[in-house]
Amino acid sequence: MLDKTGIAKRIAKEIKDGYYVNLGIGIPTLVANYIPAHIDVVLQSENGLLGMGPFPFEGEEDADVINAGKQTITMLPGSAIFDSAMSFGMIRARKVNLTILGAMEVSENGDIANWKIPGKMVKGMGGAMDLVASAENIIVAMQHVNKAGESKLLPQCTLPLTGINCVKKIVTELAVLDVLPGGGFKLLERAPGVSVEEIKSATGGKLIIEGEIPEMDFN
Protein backbone atom coordinates (compact mmCIF):
# COMPACT_ATOMS: atom_id res chain seq x y z
CA MET A 1 0.00 0.00 0.00
CA LEU A 2 1.07 3.57 -0.60
CA ASP A 3 1.65 6.15 2.09
CA LYS A 4 0.52 9.76 1.66
CA THR A 5 3.73 10.62 -0.17
CA GLY A 6 3.16 7.76 -2.62
CA ILE A 7 -0.36 8.98 -3.35
CA ALA A 8 0.98 12.49 -4.02
CA LYS A 9 3.73 11.17 -6.31
CA ARG A 10 1.21 9.21 -8.38
CA ILE A 11 -1.13 12.19 -8.70
CA ALA A 12 1.77 14.40 -9.83
CA LYS A 13 1.92 12.24 -12.97
CA GLU A 14 -1.56 13.49 -13.93
CA ILE A 15 -0.42 17.11 -14.18
CA LYS A 16 0.22 18.29 -17.74
CA ASP A 17 2.46 21.02 -19.08
CA GLY A 18 0.81 24.44 -19.01
CA TYR A 19 -1.81 23.53 -16.40
CA TYR A 20 -3.09 25.90 -13.73
CA VAL A 21 -3.69 23.65 -10.70
CA ASN A 22 -5.42 24.16 -7.35
CA LEU A 23 -4.23 21.96 -4.50
CA GLY A 24 -6.63 21.28 -1.62
CA ILE A 25 -5.50 20.78 1.98
CA GLY A 26 -4.11 17.47 3.23
CA ILE A 27 -2.51 15.00 0.82
CA PRO A 28 -2.98 17.29 -2.23
CA THR A 29 -0.55 19.87 -0.81
CA LEU A 30 2.22 17.26 -1.02
CA VAL A 31 1.83 17.08 -4.81
CA ALA A 32 3.77 20.35 -5.17
CA ASN A 33 6.95 18.53 -4.12
CA TYR A 34 6.76 15.91 -6.89
CA ILE A 35 5.89 17.78 -10.09
CA PRO A 36 8.46 16.72 -12.72
CA ALA A 37 11.11 19.35 -13.44
CA HIS A 38 10.34 19.42 -17.17
CA ILE A 39 6.68 20.27 -16.56
CA ASP A 40 5.74 23.96 -16.50
CA VAL A 41 2.69 24.41 -14.26
CA VAL A 42 1.27 27.19 -12.11
CA LEU A 43 -0.09 26.23 -8.69
CA GLN A 44 -2.93 28.33 -7.29
CA SER A 45 -3.71 28.65 -3.59
CA GLU A 46 -7.25 29.87 -3.00
CA ASN A 47 -6.19 32.26 -0.24
CA GLY A 48 -4.63 34.46 -2.94
CA LEU A 49 -1.43 33.14 -4.46
CA LEU A 50 -0.54 32.16 -8.01
CA GLY A 51 2.86 30.52 -8.45
CA MET A 52 3.13 28.39 -5.31
CA GLY A 53 6.32 26.38 -4.94
CA PRO A 54 7.25 23.34 -2.83
CA PHE A 55 7.32 23.32 0.95
CA PRO A 56 10.30 25.22 2.44
CA PHE A 57 13.21 23.48 4.09
CA GLU A 58 13.34 23.57 7.89
CA GLY A 59 14.62 26.93 9.06
CA GLU A 60 13.67 28.69 5.83
CA GLU A 61 9.94 29.10 6.57
CA ASP A 62 8.24 32.48 6.23
CA ALA A 63 5.15 32.65 8.46
CA ASP A 64 3.59 35.26 6.13
CA VAL A 65 3.64 32.91 3.12
CA ILE A 66 1.05 30.17 3.64
CA ASN A 67 -1.37 28.02 1.66
CA ALA A 68 -5.09 27.58 2.25
CA GLY A 69 -4.32 24.98 4.91
CA LYS A 70 -2.18 27.46 6.90
CA GLN A 71 1.05 25.62 6.02
CA THR A 72 4.16 27.60 5.17
CA ILE A 73 5.05 27.39 1.50
CA THR A 74 7.44 28.94 -1.01
CA MET A 75 6.83 31.28 -3.92
CA LEU A 76 8.39 30.82 -7.35
CA PRO A 77 9.83 33.65 -9.46
CA GLY A 78 6.94 35.50 -11.11
CA SER A 79 4.44 34.61 -8.38
CA ALA A 80 1.50 36.92 -7.74
CA ILE A 81 -0.33 37.69 -4.49
CA PHE A 82 -3.88 39.04 -4.48
CA ASP A 83 -7.06 39.01 -2.43
CA SER A 84 -9.37 36.02 -2.08
CA ALA A 85 -12.07 37.72 -4.17
CA MET A 86 -9.80 37.63 -7.22
CA SER A 87 -8.71 34.10 -6.35
CA PHE A 88 -12.28 32.82 -6.33
CA GLY A 89 -12.98 34.84 -9.45
CA MET A 90 -10.35 32.69 -11.18
CA ILE A 91 -11.96 29.54 -9.83
CA ARG A 92 -15.53 30.49 -10.73
CA ALA A 93 -14.46 31.66 -14.20
CA ARG A 94 -12.95 28.18 -14.76
CA LYS A 95 -9.40 29.44 -15.23
CA VAL A 96 -8.10 26.49 -13.21
CA ASN A 97 -7.44 23.38 -15.33
CA LEU A 98 -7.16 20.81 -12.55
CA THR A 99 -8.30 20.66 -8.94
CA ILE A 100 -6.84 18.09 -6.55
CA LEU A 101 -8.86 17.55 -3.37
CA GLY A 102 -9.01 15.28 -0.38
CA ALA A 103 -12.27 13.52 0.48
CA MET A 104 -13.98 11.62 3.27
CA GLU A 105 -16.29 9.82 0.83
CA VAL A 106 -16.81 9.54 -2.93
CA SER A 107 -19.82 7.88 -4.53
CA GLU A 108 -19.79 5.72 -7.65
CA ASN A 109 -21.41 8.53 -9.66
CA GLY A 110 -18.76 11.08 -8.68
CA ASP A 111 -20.38 12.82 -5.70
CA ILE A 112 -17.89 14.04 -3.10
CA ALA A 113 -18.22 14.63 0.65
CA ASN A 114 -15.17 16.37 2.10
CA TRP A 115 -16.16 19.17 4.43
CA LYS A 116 -18.24 18.00 7.40
CA ILE A 117 -18.88 15.06 9.69
CA PRO A 118 -22.19 15.61 11.56
CA GLY A 119 -21.63 16.27 15.25
CA LYS A 120 -18.03 17.40 14.82
CA MET A 121 -17.00 21.04 14.84
CA VAL A 122 -15.66 22.43 11.57
CA LYS A 123 -14.26 25.86 10.74
CA GLY A 124 -16.50 26.15 7.72
CA MET A 125 -16.94 25.09 4.12
CA GLY A 126 -13.80 26.82 2.93
CA GLY A 127 -13.39 26.93 -0.83
CA ALA A 128 -14.38 23.33 -1.50
CA MET A 129 -17.89 24.03 -2.79
CA ASP A 130 -16.70 26.68 -5.25
CA LEU A 131 -13.94 24.39 -6.46
CA VAL A 132 -16.16 21.38 -7.13
CA ALA A 133 -18.85 23.52 -8.76
CA SER A 134 -16.42 25.19 -11.15
CA ALA A 135 -13.61 22.72 -11.86
CA GLU A 136 -13.68 20.80 -15.13
CA ASN A 137 -11.29 18.13 -13.87
CA ILE A 138 -11.20 16.94 -10.25
CA ILE A 139 -8.83 14.30 -8.94
CA VAL A 140 -9.36 13.06 -5.39
CA ALA A 141 -6.50 12.00 -3.13
CA MET A 142 -7.88 9.90 -0.28
CA GLN A 143 -7.62 6.79 1.85
CA HIS A 144 -9.59 3.86 0.41
CA VAL A 145 -11.00 2.88 3.82
CA ASN A 146 -11.61 4.69 7.11
CA LYS A 147 -10.03 3.91 10.47
CA ALA A 148 -12.66 1.22 11.09
CA GLY A 149 -11.71 -0.48 7.82
CA GLU A 150 -14.94 0.58 6.10
CA SER A 151 -14.89 1.63 2.46
CA LYS A 152 -14.94 5.32 1.58
CA LEU A 153 -15.78 4.56 -2.07
CA LEU A 154 -19.51 3.98 -1.86
CA PRO A 155 -22.71 3.51 -3.87
CA GLN A 156 -23.90 6.77 -2.27
CA CYS A 157 -22.21 9.18 0.12
CA THR A 158 -23.51 9.11 3.69
CA LEU A 159 -21.94 12.42 4.74
CA PRO A 160 -23.13 15.92 3.70
CA LEU A 161 -22.23 16.48 0.06
CA THR A 162 -19.80 19.07 -1.20
CA GLY A 163 -20.61 18.49 -4.88
CA ILE A 164 -22.40 16.07 -7.18
CA ASN A 165 -21.23 14.23 -10.32
CA CYS A 166 -17.91 16.06 -10.30
CA VAL A 167 -15.06 13.67 -9.44
CA LYS A 168 -13.22 12.28 -12.47
CA LYS A 169 -10.40 10.24 -10.93
CA ILE A 170 -9.38 8.87 -7.51
CA VAL A 171 -5.96 7.88 -6.22
CA THR A 172 -5.83 5.94 -2.94
CA GLU A 173 -3.25 3.90 -1.06
CA LEU A 174 -4.56 0.87 -2.98
CA ALA A 175 -5.46 1.96 -6.50
CA VAL A 176 -6.07 4.47 -9.27
CA LEU A 177 -9.69 4.56 -10.41
CA ASP A 178 -11.74 6.50 -12.95
CA VAL A 179 -15.32 7.49 -12.15
CA LEU A 180 -17.32 6.54 -15.23
CA PRO A 181 -19.99 8.90 -16.64
CA GLY A 182 -22.66 6.22 -16.23
CA GLY A 183 -21.55 5.39 -12.68
CA GLY A 184 -19.01 3.01 -11.23
CA PHE A 185 -15.34 2.97 -10.29
CA LYS A 186 -13.16 1.65 -13.12
CA LEU A 187 -9.96 0.13 -11.78
CA LEU A 188 -6.96 1.41 -13.75
CA GLU A 189 -3.91 0.59 -11.62
CA ARG A 190 -2.94 -1.27 -8.45
CA ALA A 191 -0.51 -0.04 -5.81
CA PRO A 192 2.68 -2.12 -5.73
CA GLY A 193 2.03 -5.44 -3.99
CA VAL A 194 -1.74 -4.90 -3.77
CA SER A 195 -4.01 -7.51 -5.38
CA VAL A 196 -7.24 -6.93 -7.27
CA GLU A 197 -9.04 -8.96 -4.60
CA GLU A 198 -7.85 -6.57 -1.88
CA ILE A 199 -9.20 -3.64 -3.86
CA LYS A 200 -12.52 -5.42 -4.43
CA SER A 201 -12.98 -6.06 -0.72
CA ALA A 202 -12.15 -2.44 0.13
CA THR A 203 -14.56 -0.89 -2.40
CA GLY A 204 -18.19 -0.48 -1.38
CA GLY A 205 -19.44 0.94 -4.67
CA LYS A 206 -19.61 -0.68 -8.09
CA LEU A 207 -16.10 -1.70 -9.17
CA ILE A 208 -15.44 -2.29 -12.86
CA ILE A 209 -12.46 -4.49 -13.78
CA GLU A 210 -11.45 -5.07 -17.37
CA GLY A 211 -8.49 -7.28 -18.26
CA GLU A 212 -5.18 -7.35 -16.43
CA ILE A 213 -4.69 -4.45 -14.02
CA PRO A 214 -1.10 -3.14 -14.00
CA GLU A 215 0.80 -1.88 -11.00
CA MET A 216 1.36 1.86 -10.70
CA ASP A 217 4.36 3.23 -12.56
CA PHE A 218 6.14 6.13 -10.86
CA ASN A 219 8.74 6.69 -13.60
Side-chain angles (χ1 to χ4, degrees), residues 46-184:
E46 66 208 55
N47 55 318
L49 172 62
L50 203 61
M52 182 169 58
F55 287 115
F57 292 109
E58 187 174 353
E60 298 180 3
E61 302 93 340
D62 182 344
D64 291 326
V65 183
I66 60 173
N67 62 19
K70 310 297 189 295
Q71 297 167 302
T72 53
I73 54 174
T74 60
M75 295 170 57
L76 300 178
S79 297
I81 296 174
F82 35 84
D83 63 24
S84 59
M86 180 173 287
S87 182
F88 279 94
M90 291 178 189
I91 292 167
R92 293 167 184 167
R94 302 196 170 191
K95 303 297 185 183
V96 177
N97 303 107
L98 173 63
T99 297
I100 303 170
L101 296 172
M104 292 179 281
E105 292 178 348
V106 175
S107 78
E108 62 189 37
N109 65 333
D111 300 345
I112 181 173
N114 77 342
W115 77 280
K116 182 178 178 64
I117 297 176
K120 292 192 175 183
M121 183 178 293
V122 294
K123 295 179 180 178
M125 171 61 72
M129 191 168 283
D130 287 273
L131 287 164
V132 300
S134 305
E136 295 185 3
N137 188 7
I138 297 174
I139 298 177
V140 167
M142 66 184 294
Q143 299 295 322
H144 213 103
V145 298
N146 61 25
K147 292 179 181 178
E150 300 164 335
S151 181
K152 296 166 68 173
L153 278 63
L154 304 168
Q156 293 182 319
C157 294
T158 64
L159 297 172
L161 294 181
T162 309
I164 60 172
N165 303 118
C166 56
V167 177
K168 299 292 191 293
K169 182 168 286 187
I170 305 166
V171 181
T172 75
E173 76 277 19
L174 301 180
V176 179
L177 310 104
D178 269 349
V179 179
L180 299 183

